[in-house]
Amino acid sequence: MSDLMLTAKVLNTLKNYQIDAKDILLHSPIDLSFDGEYIKGYLVVTEQKIAVCTMALPKGTIHFFRNAQSGDDLIAEEPGEYDTAIYELSDIAHLRIDTFVGSNVLSGEYKGEHISIAAFTNRYQQQMNVLVRKLRTYLHGGELVAEEEVQEDNEKTSGSGKSKRSIFGRTLKYFLKYKSLIVVLILTYIVNGSMNIAWPYLTGTVLFDRVLGADDSFLSEFGLAGKLGTALLAVALTMLLVRLLQALSNYLQIFVMAKLSSTAIRDIKNDAFDAMSRLSLSFYVNKQTGGLMTRVLSDSDRVRNFFIDGLPMIFVHGITIVVTFVIMFRLNWKMALIACILLPLLVFMTVKLRPGLWILAGKRHRAEKAVSGKANDNLTGARVVKAFGQQDEEIKRFARPSNNLKNAEIEITKLRNKFAILYNLVQEVSSIWIWIAGVLFVLKTREIELGVLITFVGYVMQLNGPMNFFAWIFRMWSDSINSAERLFEIMDAIPEIQEAEDPVELKDPRGEIELDNVTFGYRIGRPVLKEINIKIREGEMLGIVGRSGAGKSTLVNLISRLYDVNEGSIKIDGTDVKDLSLRDLRRNVAMVSQDTYIFMGSVAKNIAYGNENASRADIIRAAKLASAHEFISRLPDGYDTIIGASGKDLSGGEKQRISIARAILANPKILILDEATASVDTQTEKAIQHSLEYLVKGRTTLSIAHRLSTLKNADRLIVIDGGRIVEEGTEEELSRIEGGIYRTLLDLQNKSMALNTEF
């Protein structure tokens, strides 16, 4: 029984819940209970509901996994009854699949509460990924694709869930937007193709048989009877005109092609980049920069190659072949039949070889991504590589993905050569047959004239171009559609952080923050924060203390909504952050993180990153408040000094002070300092602390610090341990708690400072 089929018992069970077979749009098998026991079950989706049908299996049931000879055959009898859970789609949000060792859990929010919907092994992971992706699109206003299309996708793709036909059509739309350029391009193809078809006829039949053969009846049609020289001149001028039109159409074709391809690919890159910028932070956690760059740059170029150099020429060369054979059949059907007798073999072998190109294109992309990722890691971490003397080791590590890419390219070349050999063999055999048969017809049977034979040979030779084109177009097709699929995966990815349909604007923010029973984990079942309850008053400075990994940074990430809570709520000025406009939220919540990033550009532009309309005076004022003005003034061009990507020209403390100046200039109502002084020396820290005393006035500030001295001015402190708030109070109150975590950390730091003073 196929994994994509629903049994009669399941369908009968669903009828009890007013779900008919015709209502089912998507479904996938599931095979685990939440207790980890193997079961038989299905997840079914209609326009209004999700139904989960599960059946416990008797002990001793044999389970078959991936690559087994049989699937569900031994349990197809369904020994029990299905238990069914029904969920209304309108009440479901934030669907996600959490992957564990050999198992997966589909979860989400239902009526505001977290729920686990279904569990399944890796056997059904691919089908469930397709289902969830389509369902997410539907929940965010897209269309829910019917099951027939899902099955069609599974038949036509290699694990992607998208049909090649739909990818092709979607990509083509980027080019069809520029209709005027398309029309001009088509006209150039028509002119070029017409001239190519006319040329062999002019140089063969017309020149040899009609003119040089002194066919007066032909010449008289043009009023040139007995005027061979004039006729030759007319033919020569016609041939010159044909070549001129070919050259002009080729030039115009190249120009229009360049403009159309560059414009369409620009749109694709912009859409891919725009999609990536809208995706949530979790999307980037497990992605290598090099791999993403490969998608945006290399993949978009491969899309262009086919849709500009390939697709139009399919029609041009296809029409050329058809028209050529029509003319050849009209000239002499026997010779034409000899010329095309091997075409059925060519079509058969092409169909057999083509699927391998799709697989190899995907293999090469993975190898390219590994090479790009490794190169990017090595370049961005060049300082660490050299500091630890790992240059030789990195070369060895790079050799493996590079060798894999080489092997993938060789495999593609081998398969491409099979196409080339096949097409060239057909060309050469056809040419030889035409010469042999033509000579026999001319000398023995007199069925054709010499000019007709030359015309035939000219047409056969002219077919070399189209035949060579079709020898490599299938590789270009596989590369292009494979690449387009990866680009659309980015564009179609649904951000986990979604803005409300009618977001609330944060006007005149006060900066009051309330966390109500907040629980959050990056993976289901592994909470980092547990039942956090705290209210931060307007203008209050809250210090957050705890051991490494306690959840301090996670807490402030939730407030700025880089992630959404699993349970509970976070409110700013009484409004849930999920209901706030993301633009207003991010504009009024600024973060200075321990991980600073400096963009390639001038110092002034880096400081003004969050407020591009800031004046030079405002930039300098922010730098002074961040104690950055002094070192910036010493740079070669001051605030106009160009600093490299990631701020490699600056020390850690200098980068941190620019980051603080950036936050100051943004003028937020809520300021988050996540180890803001971690990378500066004691003297600089004192200067920054003095600046922060001014900065925090009138702002709600959350300050995370391991160096407890930086929190001496905090109105209140909380201590997080094990994902919970375990201590709360002023610095003085917490320091008096014997055996408390804050007291322990304070004592350890005091002892460390005492040791440093002694030495």
Side-chain angles (χ1 to χ4, degrees):
M1 183 177 64
S2 170
D3 287 341
L4 287 174
M5 292 176 60
L6 291 173
T7 65
K9 180 173 281 191
V10 172
L11 295 174
N12 288 332
T13 302
L14 292 172
K15 284 182 180 179
N16 297 330
Y17 298 88
Q18 288 75 50
I19 298 176
D20 293 327
K22 60 181 176 59
D23 300 324
I24 299 172
L25 298 177
L26 303 173
H27 67 266
S28 174
I30 55 177
D31 56 356
L32 280 181
S33 70
F34 296 119
D35 297 325
E37 299 292 333
Y38 287 105
I39 63 168
K40 182 176 177 64
Y42 295 91
L43 184 144
V44 172
V45 179
T46 70
E47 285 190 352
Q48 290 85 27
K49 300 175 182 178
I50 291 180
V52 182
C53 301
T54 57
M55 176 190 295
L57 297 174
K59 292 182 179 180
T61 300
I62 298 175
H63 304 276
F64 287 82
F65 299 94
R66 195 172 290 173
N67 298 326
Q69 293 295 323
S70 300
D72 290 340
D73 297 334
L74 296 182
I75 56 173
E77 64 275 8
E78 301 173 291
E81 297 297 327
Y82 282 100
D83 294 324
T84 304
I86 302 293
Y87 304 95
E88 297 293 333
L89 275 182
S90 57
D91 295 325
I92 286 181
H94 303 297
L95 284 174
R96 58 188 288 179
I97 295 178
D98 287 285
T99 302
F100 303 97
V101 180
S103 63
N104 308 268
V105 175
L106 172 62
S107 59
E109 286 186 10
Y110 188 63
K111 296 182 178 179
E113 296 183 2
H114 175 264
I115 60 165
S116 295
I117 299 172
F120 48 95
T121 64
N122 290 342
R123 178 182 184 183
Y124 299 121
Q125 185 183 45
Q126 178 180 317
Q127 292 167 225
M128 191 64 78
N129 281 336
V130 173
L131 184 147
V132 171
R133 183 166 61 243
K134 293 178 181 295
L135 192 52
R136 279 179 178 172
T137 302
Y138 176 68
L139 292 175
H140 289 94
E143 294 183 1
L144 193 58
V145 182
E147 184 63 35
E148 295 88 299
E149 295 182 45
V150 177
Q151 292 184 23
E152 182 182 348
D153 288 348
N154 284 326
E155 292 168 1
K156 294 185 178 180
T157 60
S158 299
S160 67
K162 294 185 181 74
S163 73
K164 298 172 192 174
R165 191 191 320 166
S166 65
I167 296 169
F168 170 77
R170 186 171 172 185
T171 309
L172 187 60
K173 289 179 181 178
Y174 280 95
F175 295 87
L176 294 180
K177 288 192 297 184
Y178 304 98
K179 295 182 176 60
S180 58
L181 292 176
I182 294 288
V183 170
V184 174
L185 198 59
I186 291 173
L187 289 175
T188 62
Y189 287 139
I190 292 173
V191 171
N192 206 323
S194 300
M195 297 304 102
N196 285 335
I197 291 171
W199 184 258
Y201 191 79
L202 278 173
T203 58
T205 302
V206 174
L207 181 61
F208 279 88
D209 294 340
R210 300 290 189 260
V211 177
L212 295 179
D215 189 335
D216 285 339
S217 62
F218 174 77
L219 296 176
S220 62
E221 293 180 12
F222 300 92
L224 299 173
K227 299 179 181 179
L228 179 60
T230 306
L232 281 173
L233 180 61
V235 172
L237 289 175
T238 304
M239 292 170 67
L240 179 63
L241 178 62
V242 167
R243 286 304 192 199
L244 183 62
L245 286 174
Q246 278 184 317
L248 289 174
S249 63
N250 278 331
Y251 173 78
L252 186 58
Q253 186 182 111
I254 292 170
F255 174 77
V256 175
M257 245 189 223
K259 186 172 183 179
L260 177 61
S261 64
S262 300
T263 308
I265 294 304
R266 176 206 63 189
D267 294 345
I268 292 176
K269 288 180 179 179
N270 287 347
D271 285 354
F273 186 81
D274 179 62
M276 282 198 294
S277 67
R278 287 185 284 103
L279 290 172
S280 307
L281 194 62
S282 57
F283 172 81
Y284 299 94
V285 172
N286 297 317
K287 300 286 191 305
Q288 281 187 307
T289 304
L292 293 175
M293 289 178 64
T294 298
R295 291 196 182 196
V296 175
L297 301 178
S298 298
D299 283 345
S300 57
D301 286 336
R302 287 200 176 100
V303 170
R304 176 182 60 192
N305 290 342
F306 172 74
F307 280 87
I308 290 300
D309 298 332
L311 180 61
M313 299 308 292
I314 289 177
F315 297 101
V316 172
H317 288 310
I319 293 171
T320 299
I321 290 173
V322 171
V323 173
T324 299
F325 275 114
V326 168
I327 295 174
M328 290 167 67
F329 270 97
R330 288 181 64 86
L331 289 173
N332 189 290
W333 68 270
K334 294 178 182 178
M335 294 276 286
L337 195 61
I338 292 172
C340 66
I341 196 169
L342 289 178
L343 286 182
L345 174 64
L346 196 65
V347 173
F348 173 76
M349 293 302 297
T350 299
V351 172
K352 294 289 288 184
L353 292 174
R354 187 168 57 87
L357 287 172
W358 179 266
I359 297 171
L360 291 178
K363 183 177 180 180
R364 182 183 58 189
H365 167 76
R366 292 189 292 272
E368 270 187 343
K369 186 172 67 172
V371 168
S372 300
K374 190 61 188 172
N376 179 76
D377 288 346
N378 196 271
L379 293 173
T380 54
R383 184 176 298 180
V384 177
V385 172
K386 293 184 180 298
F388 284 86
Q390 291 293 301
Q391 293 94 324
D392 292 339
E393 293 301 319
E394 286 297 328
I395 291 172
K396 293 177 183 177
R397 295 186 187 108
F398 182 80
R400 182 178 178 183
S402 181
N403 191 58
N404 290 338
L405 179 57
K406 178 205 72 174
N407 292 335
E409 289 285 5
I410 289 174
E411 289 181 28
I412 287 180
T413 301
K414 285 180 179 178
L415 190 55
R416 183 185 63 183
N417 287 343
K418 290 181 180 179
F419 277 94
I421 292 170
L422 177 64
Y423 279 75
N424 288 334
L425 182 64
V426 171
Q427 292 172 27
E428 296 303 324
V429 171
S430 297
S431 297
I432 293 171
W433 284 358
I434 286 295
W435 273 114
I436 293 173
V439 169
L440 290 175
F441 283 143
V442 171
L443 298 179
K444 299 294 184 181
T445 66
R446 304 281 182 179
E447 286 190 25
I448 63 172
E449 298 172 337
L450 178 61
V452 174
L453 174 59
I454 294 174
T455 301
F456 254 93
V457 173
Y459 278 128
V460 171
M461 296 302 294
Q462 187 172 277
L463 289 175
N464 287 348
M467 297 295 275
N468 286 329
F469 168 81
F470 282 107
W472 56 263
I473 188 60
F474 297 107
R475 176 196 174 186
M476 188 182 286
W477 153 265
S478 298
D479 284 348
S480 177
I481 301 303
N482 218 301
S483 297
E485 179 184 33
R486 290 187 290 270
L487 288 168
F488 291 140
E489 282 177 359
I490 293 177
M491 297 182 198
D492 294 340
I494 304 297
E496 291 186 9
I497 307 302
Q498 289 281 336
E499 188 173 71
E501 291 184 5
D502 189 16
V504 177
E505 293 184 7
L506 195 59
K507 295 181 179 178
D508 300 321
R510 303 189 308 275
E512 183 180 275
I513 305 171
E514 182 179 1
L515 284 79
D516 182 16
N517 202 34
V518 168
T519 296
F520 172 79
Y522 296 101
R523 297 182 68 176
I524 297 297
R526 300 181 185 181
V528 177
L529 296 175
K530 308 166 188 174
E531 299 177 355
I532 300 292
N533 289 281
I534 187 171
K535 187 169 184 178
I536 306 165
R537 298 182 296 274
E538 174 186 349
E540 181 181 15
M541 181 176 181
L542 178 72
I544 304 175
V545 181
R547 299 183 178 93
S548 295
K552 306 183 298 296
S553 296
T554 300
L555 178 65
V556 295
N557 285 339
L558 292 175
I559 292 173
S560 57
R561 211 188 168 200
L562 296 179
Y563 298 91
D564 272 341
V565 299
N566 299 141
E567 298 178 18
S569 64
I570 297 176
K571 296 179 180 178
I572 294 179
D573 295 344
T575 304
D576 195 313
V577 292
K578 293 181 181 179
D579 297 327
L580 289 173
S581 161
L582 287 175
R583 181 179 178 85
D584 284 354
L585 175 63
R586 304 279 163 77
R587 188 170 53 194
N588 286 284
V589 179
M591 179 183 293
V592 179
S593 173
Q594 55 187 324
D595 300 319
T596 60
Y597 189 84
I598 303 299
F599 295 91
M600 184 75 182
S602 68
V603 174
K605 286 188 176 180
N606 266 281
I607 293 175
Y609 184 74
N611 186 359
E612 294 183 355
N613 296 321
S615 66
R616 180 55 64 95
D618 291 333
I619 293 172
I620 294 173
R621 177 174 172 273
K624 287 180 177 179
L625 288 173
S627 300
H629 178 71
E630 185 177 348
F631 87 80
I632 293 174
S633 300
R634 292 197 301 266
L635 293 174
D637 296 315
Y639 284 85
D640 295 320
T641 301
I642 302 298
I643 49 182
S646 298
K648 291 185 176 67
D649 304 333
L650 306 175
S651 69
E654 289 170 343
K655 288 191 288 184
Q656 192 71 294
R657 279 178 276 177
I658 287 180
S659 179
I660 292 171
R662 184 188 293 165
I664 292 172
L665 191 61
N667 194 27
K669 191 62 181 177
I670 298 172
L671 181 66
I672 296 174
L673 305 173
D674 187 356
E675 297 287 349
T677 58
S679 301
V680 298
D681 55 49
T682 305
Q683 184 178 358
T684 305
E685 178 193 354
K686 290 180 179 179
I688 293 177
Q689 285 295 337
H690 178 73
S691 301
L692 291 177
E693 288 178 10
Y694 167 80
L695 177 63
V696 300
K697 289 180 180 178
R699 291 181 174 84
T700 303
T701 306
L702 288 80
S703 181
I704 299 174
H706 283 114
R707 197 182 297 174
L708 300 181
S709 59
T710 62
L711 299 177
K712 61 182 180 180
N713 294 325
D715 298 308
R716 186 165 42 129
L717 300 176
I718 61 171
V719 179
I720 298 179
D721 192 57
R724 300 180 186 274
I725 297 177
V726 294
E727 296 175 15
E728 182 179 351
T730 64
E731 192 272 341
E732 184 180 351
E733 291 170 348
L734 296 184
S735 62
R736 291 201 301 261
I737 301 176
E738 291 291 338
I741 292 176
Y742 181 82
R743 174 68 179 271
T744 302
L745 293 173
L746 185 62
D747 290 344
L748 287 172
Q749 288 196 14
N750 288 336
K751 289 178 183 179
S752 177
M753 291 179 65
L755 287 172
N756 290 335
T757 303
E758 291 178 10
F759 286 102

